[in-house]
């Protein structure tokens, strides 16, 4: 008798039992540790959030979900690694809004941005905030904008580099509000924050999880946050609409992508577990602690969010006139 491959045996077993093969794959995943690649250094907002969701997925599935940092080139090194990985659900990419910006920064990416990575889910939606040092003379966003208009070229803002989410988000605010400020790029978000604390820059835009430590430590002050409502953890900080800039609606997020070809049944397992994780009391508390909105956006809804963001960043890039790398 010819030997059958294990996969054929499993297929026949499922067929004989009246069980779809996809359901079998769904029930058996994950069968080994799952690697989540964070394309930035340890300690940043994406890294923090991904490590916590990985811990929760480990608890829920009984298999290890672990983070591996592969930083460099605005996150393209890590993303390229995942795009070249097998589509089996055991190597995933974590990223934020920056992923939608990449086509505006690079002439050619080492993977097909449109097809090689499949959106799994977005979670931990984080408002962006205008951040100043605690000793700054600017007490409100209106103060900052008014000064910048009456003193053109005097204010500067810092980011972790040209083409990053904070860079594009600040340029979007300049368009929405008439804010006048000069960009000063640094080697990372942490370095930009140190420059803010040291007085080398006047303000920065950051997602709330990246600066809550400094907020609680009394080192920085937030002038406004994006979103429809004030944060429960910072009720004294107005929204951009309340602060006089209703056209500014940039919200950051952390999300997961899988290599092209990952079975739909595996994606369903991931999405179900992420939704379950974000609905848990401890993840809700963790998100609010970071000043984020504890939410999960899966499948088609997440893909639509990415398309909407891509249109915004394309518009920002056009106004910037940036030369692609």
């Amino acid at each position: 008798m010819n030997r059958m491959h294990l996969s054929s045996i499993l297929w026949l077993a499922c067929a004989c039992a009246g069980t779809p093969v996809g359901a079998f794959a769904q029930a058996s995943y994950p069968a080994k540790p799952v690697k989540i690649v964070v394309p930035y250094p340890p300690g940043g907002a994406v890294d923090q959030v991904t490590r916590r969701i990985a811990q929760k997925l480990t608890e829920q599935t009984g298999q290890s979900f672990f983070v591996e940092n592969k930083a460099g080139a605005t996150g393209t090194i890590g993303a390229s690694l995942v795009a070249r990985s097998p589509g089996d659900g055991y190597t995933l990419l974590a990223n934020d809004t920056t992923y939608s910006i990449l086509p505006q920064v690079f002439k050619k990416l080492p993977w097909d941005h449109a097809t090689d990575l499949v959106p799994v889910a977005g979670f931990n939606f984080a408002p962006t905030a205008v951040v100043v040092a605690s000793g700054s003379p600017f007490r409100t966003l209106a103060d900052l904008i008014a000064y910048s208009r009456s003193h053109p070229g005097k204010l500067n803002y810092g980011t972790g580099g040209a083409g990053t989410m904070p860079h594009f988000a600040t340029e979007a605010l300049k368009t929405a509000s008439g804010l006048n400020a000069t960009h000063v790029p640094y080697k990372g978000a942490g370095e930009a924050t140190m420059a803010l604390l040291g007085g080398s820059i006047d303000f920065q835009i950051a997602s709330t999880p990246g600066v809550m430590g400094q907020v609680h430590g009394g080192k920085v002050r937030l002038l406004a946050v994006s979103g429809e409502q004030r944060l429960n953890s910072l009720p004294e900080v107005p929204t951009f609409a309340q602060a006089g800039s209703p056209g500014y609606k940039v919200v950051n997020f952390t999300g997961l992508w899988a290599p092209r070809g990952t079975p739909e049944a595996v994606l369903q397992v991931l999405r179900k577990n992420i939704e379950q994780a974000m609905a848990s009391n401890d993840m809700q508390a963790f998100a609010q602690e970071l000043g984020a909105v504890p939410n999960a956006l899966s499948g088609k809804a997440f893909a639509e969010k990415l398309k909407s963001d891509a249109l915004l960043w394309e518009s920002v890039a056009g106004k910037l006139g940036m030369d692609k790398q």
Side-chain angles (χ1 to χ4, degrees):
M1 183 190 302
N2 293 329
R3 294 183 178 180
M4 290 183 175
H5 292 295
L6 178 59
S7 58
S8 299
I9 295 173
L10 294 175
W11 190 93
L12 286 171
C14 291
C16 292
T19 304
V21 178
F24 179 84
Q26 188 173 12
S28 63
Y29 175 85
K32 62 181 182 179
V34 178
K35 176 169 66 179
I36 305 177
V37 175
V38 171
Y40 308 111
V46 176
D47 184 68
Q48 291 181 52
V49 173
T50 303
R51 288 182 185 276
R52 183 58 71 93
I53 199 81
Q55 177 185 334
K56 196 67 183 175
L57 293 175
T58 298
E59 294 171 3
Q60 290 174 184
T61 65
Q63 281 290 348
S64 173
F65 282 72
F66 67 96
V67 169
E68 186 173 290
N69 298 87
K70 292 288 184 181
T74 320
T76 60
I77 291 176
S80 179
L81 184 153
V82 176
R84 297 194 307 267
S85 298
D88 55 11
Y90 291 99
T91 303
L92 306 172
L93 173 71
N95 211 324
D96 61 3
T97 304
T98 301
Y99 186 78
S100 297
I101 296 174
L102 293 178
Q104 309 305 326
V105 179
F106 296 93
K107 293 179 182 177
K108 184 174 176 57
L109 292 165
W111 75 98
D112 188 323
H113 190 272
T115 62
D116 282 352
L117 289 169
V118 180
V120 179
F123 47 87
N124 221 57
F125 286 76
T128 52
V130 175
V131 187
V132 297
S134 57
S136 170
F138 303 113
R139 308 297 301 183
T140 67
L141 179 60
D143 290 342
L144 184 73
I145 293 171
Y147 181 89
S148 76
R149 290 175 178 174
S150 60
H151 299 80
K154 292 294 185 181
L155 291 185
N156 52 38
Y157 72 93
T159 72
T164 59
M165 184 281 294
H167 177 208
F168 272 49
T170 310
E171 293 299 322
L173 177 61
K174 288 168 65 175
T175 298
S177 67
L179 175 69
N180 185 296
T182 302
H183 181 216
V184 181
Y186 290 90
K187 294 180 180 178
E191 189 174 312
T193 300
M194 293 304 296
L196 179 71
L197 298 178
S200 298
I201 57 174
D202 299 294
F203 73 96
Q204 65 178 159
I205 280 190
S207 61
T208 48
V211 294
M212 289 302 286
Q214 288 84 5
V215 171
H216 294 317
K219 296 180 179 180
V220 301
R221 184 169 64 249
L222 305 188
L223 303 186
V225 294
S226 61
E228 300 299 322
Q229 298 179 341
R230 297 189 182 204
L231 295 173
N232 291 335
S233 54
L234 295 171
E236 73 281 5
V237 181
T239 65
F240 277 93
Q242 293 167 342
S245 294
Y248 184 79
K249 302 181 182 296
V250 175
V251 175
N252 195 18
F253 62 86
T254 304
L256 292 182
W257 285 256
R260 178 175 58 180
T262 301
E264 183 61 30
V266 169
L267 296 176
Q268 289 176 12
V269 172
L270 286 167
R271 288 165 181 157
K272 179 180 178 181
N273 275 281
I274 288 169
E275 290 170 1
Q276 181 182 336
M278 290 310 302
S280 66
N281 290 336
D282 52 344
M283 285 300 293
Q284 294 269 314
F286 172 69
Q288 296 208 18
E289 179 185 314
L290 291 178
V293 179
N295 193 11
L297 203 59
S298 294
K300 185 177 180 180
F302 184 39
E304 289 300 319
K305 162 68 175 168
L306 294 176
K307 288 180 182 178
S308 174
D309 282 358
L311 291 174
L312 170 63
W313 303 134
E314 184 178 1
S315 172
V316 171
K319 292 172 182 175
L320 275 173
M322 277 182 60
D323 291 327
K324 292 186 179 182
Q325 300 177 33

